[in-house]
Every structure is written in C-alpha cells, then in structure tokens.
C-alpha cells in the first residue's frame, strides 16, 4: 500500500513534473474563469444599483414636483387670476413678503384699486407664523394668492415668471430685526443678500423686465449724527449686521440698474407700526407685556437721554409704496441686455416727527388703561441707534408723499386691533 508520502511525492520525477504542470494550468483556467464570472456579476450588480438609484432619484424628483405647493396648469391659472388687472393703466405686481406686516397691507391696497397682485412668502418662524397665516387668509379672502416658497428657490422664481409677465416687483421680503442678527447672522445673508440677488437675476433676465421697488431701511444711516436724515447723507457706517445687509442691497441694486437697465427704487422705512404689526417691535411687545402685568424694559442712551424714533403709521407707508410704484418708470433692458439708462432712486418714508420711547409708553398706557411696570436700563451695544428722524422732502416732491397719522391716533388703532385679534375685553384688563 502506498504511503502517504508516496501519494504526495510520486516516485517518478518526470510524471510528477508533467502532471503538476497540467494540474496547475487547469487550476489557473478554473481560477480565471471564476474571476471573470465574479467580475461580470460585480458589474451586473453595479449597473443594477445605479439603475435603482437613478430610478429612486426620478421618483423622488417626481414626488417633490407632485407635492410642491407650486407648479402645474391649475397653479398657473391661479397665478393669472390673482394677477388680473381690473383698472385702466393698472399693473401686475409680484409682492414678496406678502404675508408680512407691510406686504399684506400694500397687497390689499393694490388689489382694492384694481391692480393685479401675486404674493410670495416663506412663512419663517422669526416670529409666530400663525400671524402670517392669518394675514394670508385675509389676502385670500380678497382674491390674492400667496405662494409659499423661498426667494433662493430658482426653480420657483422661474415658474412664477414663466406663468406671468409682471410689470412690477415690490420686494418686501427680508430677515428683519436689529438685535436678532447677533443670534443668527446667516439668516440675514441668506434672505437680505442672496435672496435679493436671486430675485434681481430673474428680473434682469425677464422680457420685458419689470420695474423693481424694494424695502431698504432707515438703519442704513447707522451712526450718522446729522438730523434729519436725508437721502444724500453718508450711509457707510452701519451700526448692525441688519443695516449692513440693507446697505449692501442698495449697492447691489445699483449694479443691476447700471449693467442691466433695471428700474430701481429703494424705500428707507422709518419704524413702521400699526394693526397686524410685527411682534418683535417695541410697541407690540410693550402692549403684550403691559396687558400681562410684566415689566417692560426701556433703553436710554449712554448719555442718559431717552431714545427717540420716527414712528410711521402703516397707512402712510402704504401710500408711499403705491406712489413709488406709480412713478417707478420703466426698465430699459430685455433678456439681460441694457438698451439705455433706467431710473435709480432711494426715498425716505417716515413721519418727520420723532417721539421719545417713554412718551410711546405713556400713550399705550392711556389706550390700554393699564399702568406699565417700567425698568430703565442703558442701551446695550446690540446695533440699536439712539434716534431716527426722516427728511421726506424728496418723496414729497417726487410723488406727493405726505404722512397724516400722528402717534396718538395710530397707537389707538393698533390697540383696538390688538385687543380684538387676541381676544381681550375691557373686563379682562380692568
């Protein structure tokens, strides 16, 4: 019987050499065939995986399109219905920030006089979105469509401008608030700069181009100490990031006017107040806290002087917006190419009668019939300025702007709205 050693090592060297070579070749071919098969299977799996991922991407894109709040034949029909002009010489206006304070008021005024209006708003949570939704419902009841979406969504903007050739754009959407910029600076860059550029891009490429009116801010005057503030005053010393983004906006819009022929009008609002206002504003938060019996904080300047603001009632601001739209002139570009110079303007929209903050509180106490619990502190270095005061002579000359509502009257209207909206009765606050 051959031993284990004989089986492993044959006695004939030649036989071993031939058989070993033959076996090695056979094993090599078997291995190669196995490797080729594995390669083919691997390639098949890669193709199958890629096909699946492409299919999923297609399905996801389709789902996003189907579930989006914009797009489609029915949506375009709603856009055209909302933008229908009902007066001779009227305009079709895209209002951004339409569910906001100023945006909702101007949209209603435009619709009331027979202009076509389409709104755009992202309904962010900088303050209670339910207030924005309530404003949207008010607009809807008057036949004004408010599209929910972000300015930085190029696809949405393209759909809007494909659906309708707007004659005007009133750009009021922005990240507002001076102090919040210290907490969330990126939101200001996203909305006030990137969003502005995205909107200007779609406008300059439109054919015909719309006239462009937008909300700058009185905050661009920054650390300016010359009063009243005039449009010709220096605006290169902003006191907050919010102010800096608005100043940047003025420079950016000038560029689009110069290169592309867009008609540009910038509006520098001065402390707007009134019904349906913003909860982050002092007059609004003071009212809330006074009614709830909480202490309100009133700031004073570092020199001990009371802060003063050029409080401007919403109805006066609306008239200023309408006047700016009516006198905006035409853009001169077409499809991104400029054919001639177009208007470029900036206007102050204020009340021209600054009121100190303690006086504001006194008026609120009178209308609420509740005494405020006051805490006086020195103004922190958070971007606020000690006073604002508008020179409105340029707006008066250009389109007859003339504010008519004093703070006493305006706050009375605001308090009446506030008590009604939040369900207060006189019995609740006695």
């Amino acid at each position: 019987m051959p031993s284990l050693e004989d089986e492993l090592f044959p006695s004939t060297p030649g036989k071993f050499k031939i058989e070993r070579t033959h076996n090695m070749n056979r094993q090599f071919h078997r291995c190669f065939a196995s490797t080729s098969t594995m390669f083919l299977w691997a390639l098949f799996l890669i193709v199958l995986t890629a096909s699946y991922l492409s299919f999923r991407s297609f399905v996801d894109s389709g789902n996003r399109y189907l579930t989006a709040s914009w797009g489609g034949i029915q949506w375009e029909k709603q856009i055209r219905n909302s933008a229908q002009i009902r007066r001779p010489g009227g305009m079709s206006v895209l209002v951004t920030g339409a569910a906001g304070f100023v945006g909702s008021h101007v949209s209603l005024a435009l619709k009331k006089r027979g202009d076509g209006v389409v709104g755009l708003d992202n309904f962010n949570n900088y303050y209670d979105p339910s207030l924005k939704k309530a404003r949207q419902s008010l607009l809807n009841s008057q036949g004004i469509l408010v599209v929910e979406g972000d300015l930085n969504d190029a696809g949405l903007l393209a759909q809007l401008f494909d659906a309708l050739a707007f004659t005007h754009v009133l750009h009021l959407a922005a990240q507002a608030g001076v102090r919040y910029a210290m907490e969330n600076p990126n939101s200001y860059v996203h909305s006030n700069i990137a969003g502005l550029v995205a909107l200007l891009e779609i406008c300059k490429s439109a054919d015909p181009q719309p006239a462009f009116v937008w909300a700058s801010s009185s905050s661009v005057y920054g650390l300016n100490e010359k009063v009243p503030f005039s449009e010709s005053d220096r605006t290169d010393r902003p006191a907050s990031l919010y102010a800096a983004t608005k100043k940047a906006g003025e420079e950016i819009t000038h560029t689009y006017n110069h290169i592309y022929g867009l008609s540009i009008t910038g509006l520098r609002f001065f402390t707007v107040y009134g019904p349906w206002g913003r909860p982050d504003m002092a007059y609004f938060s003071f009212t809330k806290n006074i009614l709830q019996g909480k202490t309100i904080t009133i700031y004073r300047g570092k020199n001990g002087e009371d802060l003063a603001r050029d409080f401007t009632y919403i109805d006066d601001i609306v008239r200023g917006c309408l006047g700016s739209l009516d006198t905006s002139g035409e853009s001169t570009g077409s499809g991104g190419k400029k054919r001639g110079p177009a208007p470029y303007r900036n206007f102050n929209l204020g009340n021209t009668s600054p009121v100190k903050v303690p006086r504001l509180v006194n008026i609120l106490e009178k209308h609420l019939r509740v005494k405020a619990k006051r805490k006086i502190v020195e103004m922190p270095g958070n971007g606020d300025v000690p006073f604002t005061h508008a020179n409105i002579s340029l707006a008066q000359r250009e389109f007859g702007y003339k504010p008519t509502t004093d703070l006493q009257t305006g706050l009375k209207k605001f308090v009446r709205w506030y008590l009604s909206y939040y369900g207060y009765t006189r019995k609740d606050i006695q």
Side-chain angles (χ1 to χ4, degrees), residues 10 12-26:
T12 308
K15 183 180 179 182
F16 167 74
K17 185 175 182 179
I18 293 172
E19 289 182 354
R20 184 173 66 175
T21 302
H22 178 72
N23 290 337
M24 288 177 65
N25 288 337
R26 189 166 58 236

Side-chain angles (χ1 to χ4, degrees), residues 140-422:
N140 289 343
S141 70
Q142 301 303 310
I144 300 172
L145 175 67
V146 181
V147 177
E148 184 168 356
D150 194 275
L151 284 172
N152 290 284
D153 189 335
L156 169 57
L157 293 181
Q159 288 270 5
L160 280 168
F161 279 77
D162 284 344
L164 193 76
F166 296 101
T167 63
H168 295 72
V169 170
L170 180 60
H171 177 43
L172 301 175
Q175 176 57 66
V178 169
R179 299 168 194 169
Y180 183 63
M182 299 179 71
E183 300 176 30
N184 189 5
N186 290 334
S187 66
Y188 290 79
V189 177
H190 176 82
S191 296
N192 301 359
I193 296 179
L196 172 64
V197 171
L199 188 57
L200 288 168
E201 278 292 301
I202 198 74
C203 288
K204 62 98 169 173
S205 300
D207 188 10
Q209 293 175 337
F212 193 91
V213 179
W214 74 291
S216 181
S217 170
S218 61
S219 67
V220 299
Y221 292 110
L223 301 177
N224 181 27
E225 295 181 353
K226 172 185 166 295
V227 290
F229 299 156
S230 299
E231 291 86 349
S232 59
D233 291 346
R234 63 184 298 184
T235 55
D236 58 352
R237 296 188 299 165
S240 67
L241 178 61
Y242 169 71
T245 61
K246 287 299 185 179
K247 172 60 178 175
E250 292 188 351
E251 303 301 324
I252 291 168
T253 53
H254 183 274
T255 301
Y256 276 79
N257 167 265
H258 173 69
I259 297 176
Y260 302 112
L262 279 174
S263 167
I264 301 289
T265 302
L267 304 176
R268 296 171 178 174
F269 296 154
F270 281 72
T271 317
V272 189
Y273 74 99
W276 296 96
R278 279 176 26 213
D280 64 310
M281 298 292 285
Y283 73 94
F284 201 115
S285 61
F286 284 169
T287 300
K288 177 182 177 180
N289 289 333
I290 290 171
L291 288 171
Q292 294 179 354
K294 297 180 180 178
T295 301
I296 62 172
T297 300
I298 301 174
Y299 294 119
R300 276 183 178 163
K302 296 186 182 300
N303 56 4
E305 292 187 6
D306 293 322
L307 305 188
R309 293 288 181 269
D310 198 347
F311 295 101
T312 312
Y313 190 63
I314 183 61
D315 289 357
D316 294 324
I317 290 294
V318 168
R319 282 190 285 271
C321 289
L322 297 182
S324 299
L325 288 165
D326 291 339
T327 60
S328 60
E330 295 184 354
S331 294
T332 61
S334 176
K337 295 182 179 180
K338 179 180 177 180
R339 292 195 299 263
Y344 179 83
R345 315 178 299 171
N346 285 305
F347 295 111
N348 290 337
L349 293 185
N351 193 54
T352 74
S353 301
V355 175
K356 293 183 178 181
V357 175
R359 170 64 179 154
L360 166 78
V361 177
N362 291 343
I363 297 173
L364 286 175
E365 288 177 328
K366 174 184 175 182
H367 294 311
L368 292 170
R369 301 177 190 174
V370 179
K371 195 71 174 176
K373 299 175 182 178
R374 309 185 189 203
K375 178 182 179 182
I376 311 298
V377 300
E378 184 178 288
M379 182 176 67
N382 56 11
D384 268 333
V385 293
F387 57 84
T388 61
H389 185 182
N391 178 340
I392 60 170
S393 58
L394 184 60
Q396 284 178 326
R397 184 167 65 250
E398 289 293 316
F399 49 86
Y401 175 70
K402 184 179 180 180
T404 60
T405 307
D406 61 27
L407 188 61
Q408 181 85 239
T409 303
L411 284 179
K412 182 178 182 179
K413 294 179 179 179
F414 165 73
V415 167
R416 185 187 305 125
W417 168 83
Y418 187 97
L419 297 178
S420 173
Y421 181 79
Y422 289 101

